[in-house]
Amino acid sequence: PLSSAENHVLLVNPSDNGNLGTIARTMLAFGFRDVALLEPAVDLFNPHVVRASMGATFALRFGYFPDLPAYQSAFSHALYPFML
């Protein structure tokens, strides 16, 4: 389960296995261990994600949420959104 005391990386509808694996690897490099995924989302344990993460997937705490309000009702973290 996600830590309520740590910062989270919140991903909205991640759909590419390779990108999610790369994000997992990068998160660990920057000291983040908690990732919240808003559905629909690829499976964090899909073999393609695990391969792209080079095993970093297994060091993460994660949670899937159906939408942003569900995440916000579970955690009261401040949100700092970044969009491309």
Side-chain angles (χ1 to χ4, degrees):
L2 295 171
S3 169
S4 59
E6 299 290 326
N7 291 320
H8 300 164
V9 172
L10 176 64
L11 301 176
V12 178
N13 312 118
S15 60
D16 185 272
N17 293 319
N19 287 346
L20 184 56
T22 301
I23 291 168
R25 200 171 64 234
T26 304
M27 284 177 56
L28 284 181
F30 282 98
F32 292 95
R33 291 196 56 219
D34 295 280
V35 60
L37 302 149
L38 297 186
E39 296 174 328
V42 298
D43 180 15
L44 193 59
F45 294 99
N46 179 301
H48 297 287
V49 175
V50 173
R51 183 174 40 233
S53 77
M54 301 181 81
T57 297
F58 301 110
L60 297 178
R61 294 181 295 253
F62 67 95
Y64 284 90
F65 298 88
D67 52 30
L68 184 58
Y71 172 79
Q72 288 179 307
S73 70
F75 298 98
S76 61
H77 292 343
L79 297 177
Y80 303 98
F82 295 94
M83 297 174 15
L84 295 177

